[in-house]
Amino acid sequence: MHLPVYDERGGAFARLRNRRVLLYWPHGLGDFVHLGFVLPLLEPSNSYYVTRFGDDFVHLYDGCEYAEPLYSGVALPGDGSLMGARHLGLNFKKIRNRMTPMHVPEPLRAHVERARIDTVLYTDYPEREGTLPFPFHTKARALARDLVTRERLATLPLNAPLQSGLTFTAPPDVTARIEECLRAFVEKGDALVIVAAGGHTNPRKRWPDEHVRAFALALRERNGRSKVIAVDERTSSQIGREPGIAPTTQDLFGDRSLPFAHVLTTLIRASGGFVGVASGPLHAALAIGGRPIVGIWLAHYPDWYDESHEGSVHLVGPYPYEKRMDCRKATTTLPLSLRARVVPFPDRIPNADDAVRALASILPDSVRK
């Protein structure tokens, strides 16, 4: 298969019109969430489709009006090597905005042909790390600056929080299966809180296991009807040994062929609160909104990633302050109305009690005795 392949550099993609564009997006769950903020800003005369090897993430786009998901037939995230070629046979460093041979395996190939794809965008989604000023201060906004013409950007409401183009809902039959499993652990009247403690791309992000367990116990002491579910399987070796403390999604759902994106979004919508480190589940919770959210930032600074959310508070540990991340342009140029609500911890990692107090400060009834 030969198609013109573009990246984000040089503005060539932003000038395309009336194309059927495949967004090849071999990135993490958080980056899939952030793409949802970029899509409504793109040139509307084009039709957009999104894929990667890893349908667990692609399912996040089910029901999206801005981009249709195309499935690779591979559930777990990977680079396609097991299907014959890494990243569709494309080398990001050699993209030149021209016709390029691609290796597209079945069943993805059939989906691409059925959608009549005539253009591919493959961006490495560069990490700006707070170096760009408002209004391009977040990673997603910085990408939009490269993918959208200046004329169109001038017409967009960049002074307000961007709205996601994702629905964050699973199909009704899948939702029913997830909720059925959930009822075995959470009863009517329970206060459910989701915890995401793992940083898969950067070990420095991780909230230590002992804090997760202590958090679940502290919530139970305040409210005997509190229940905690950990969405990161890394915690199951310790937490799962004491039944009912904080089972993981693996403990609850096992091997039920449920896409992780559907499990995560259904759990978030069923919850009364969310606590998580700066990884995909936290970014999803912030984009969904509608509940108290506590972010725990141990490697980066919150102003660089998510749109402001009035129902959230972010606990920032010592490393970002050691590196003066709060002094970068992404924060110093932000209007106060768009800045994250931050509680600084320059001398230690925020612990379980800190997270409980932060959750209580947003919605006291969720953790009050």
Side-chain angles (χ1 to χ4, degrees):
M1 179 177 289
H2 286 68
L3 288 171
V5 179
Y6 291 76
D7 62 15
E8 80 283 4
R9 295 170 290 194
F13 179 82
R15 295 189 289 271
L16 296 178
R17 300 291 183 274
N18 302 306
R19 300 292 188 96
R20 303 182 70 80
V21 181
L22 177 65
L23 306 172
Y24 177 60
W25 200 251
H27 306 301
L29 180 65
D31 293 341
F32 263 78
V33 172
H34 291 149
L35 179 60
F37 290 98
V38 177
L39 285 173
L41 311 181
L42 298 180
E43 166 56 40
S45 71
N46 298 323
S47 298
Y48 299 98
Y49 302 81
V50 61
T51 196
R52 70 157 294 161
F53 294 101
D55 294 343
D56 268 357
F57 290 2
V58 179
H59 276 292
L60 195 66
Y61 279 72
D62 290 354
C64 176
E65 67 173 292
Y66 295 96
E68 180 179 335
L70 301 184
Y71 304 111
S72 67
V74 179
L76 297 179
D79 63 10
S81 296
L82 298 179
M83 305 292 285
R86 188 170 184 264
H87 297 314
L88 304 176
L90 301 174
N91 183 338
F92 173 78
K93 295 181 179 180
K94 295 183 178 180
I95 292 175
R96 296 294 182 267
N97 305 332
R98 63 191 181 197
M99 293 294 291
T100 306
M102 298 172 55
H103 176 83
V104 184
E106 298 289 0
L108 182 58
R109 185 184 186 94
H111 298 322
V112 168
E113 291 175 345
R114 189 177 302 115
R116 294 179 286 115
I117 300 295
D118 57 27
T119 304
V120 175
L121 174 71
Y122 176 13
T123 168
D124 70 345
Y125 197 13
E127 176 62 76
R128 306 295 185 176
E129 294 201 334
T131 58
L132 294 183
F134 169 81
F136 303 112
H137 52 289
T138 67
K139 190 177 180 183
R141 285 171 176 248
L143 180 63
R145 186 192 65 164
D146 296 329
L147 297 180
V148 181
T149 63
R150 291 184 180 179
E151 293 77 14
R152 178 165 170 76
L153 284 173
T155 69
L156 298 173
L158 300 179
N159 291 327
L162 299 181
Q163 300 301 307
S164 176
L166 303 182
T167 65
F168 295 106
T169 55
D173 61 320
V174 178
T175 300
R177 290 173 62 198
I178 296 171
E179 290 177 344
E180 181 182 1
C181 295
L182 195 56
R183 282 194 290 272
F185 176 69
V186 181
E187 300 176 359
K188 186 176 181 179
D190 287 347
L192 176 62
V193 177
I194 306 301
V195 176
H200 300 290
T201 57
N202 184 348
R204 192 185 293 274
K205 293 180 182 180
R206 293 177 179 172
W207 204 34
D209 290 342
E210 59 267 24
H211 292 322
V212 180
R213 184 177 183 280
F215 173 79
L217 292 172
L219 277 186
R220 181 178 294 181
E221 289 178 0
R222 285 174 172 252
N223 179 356
R225 298 296 302 274
S226 292
K227 296 288 181 66
V228 173
I229 294 176
V231 300
D232 177 49
E233 293 181 20
R234 180 185 61 83
T235 60
S236 62
S237 61
Q238 291 189 13
I239 295 173
R241 291 176 184 170
E242 189 166 348
I245 295 299
T248 67
T249 51
Q250 180 67 22
D251 297 329
L252 290 176
F253 303 107
D255 183 17
R256 297 175 184 264
S257 301
L258 294 167
F260 178 71
H262 290 164
V263 171
L264 175 65
T265 55
T266 302
L267 285 177
I268 291 172
R269 289 191 176 280
S271 73
F274 185 99
V275 176
V277 300
S279 60
L282 173 64
H283 300 312
L286 288 166
I288 293 170
R291 59 209 22 83
I293 297 169
V294 177
I296 299 175
W297 297 77
L298 305 179
H300 299 95
Y301 202 77
D303 289 333
W304 305 354
Y305 295 97
D306 299 290
E307 299 297 312
S308 59
H309 181 294
E310 63 181 11
S312 65
V313 62
H314 301 274
L315 315 183
V316 181
Y319 182 78
Y321 293 108
E322 291 172 10
K323 299 299 181 180
R324 295 179 56 82
M325 293 179 181
D326 58 319
C327 299
R328 295 181 188 176
K329 291 179 181 179
T331 295
T332 60
T333 62
L334 264 181
L336 289 176
S337 61
L338 293 183
R339 291 187 186 180
R341 178 183 168 191
V342 168
V343 178
F345 288 84
D347 300 319
R348 62 177 176 84
I349 292 177
N351 61 32
D353 289 337
D354 300 322
V356 170
R357 282 193 293 269
L359 197 62
S361 74
I362 309 169
L363 189 61
D365 289 343
S366 67
V367 291
R368 185 178 293 168
K369 289 183 180 179

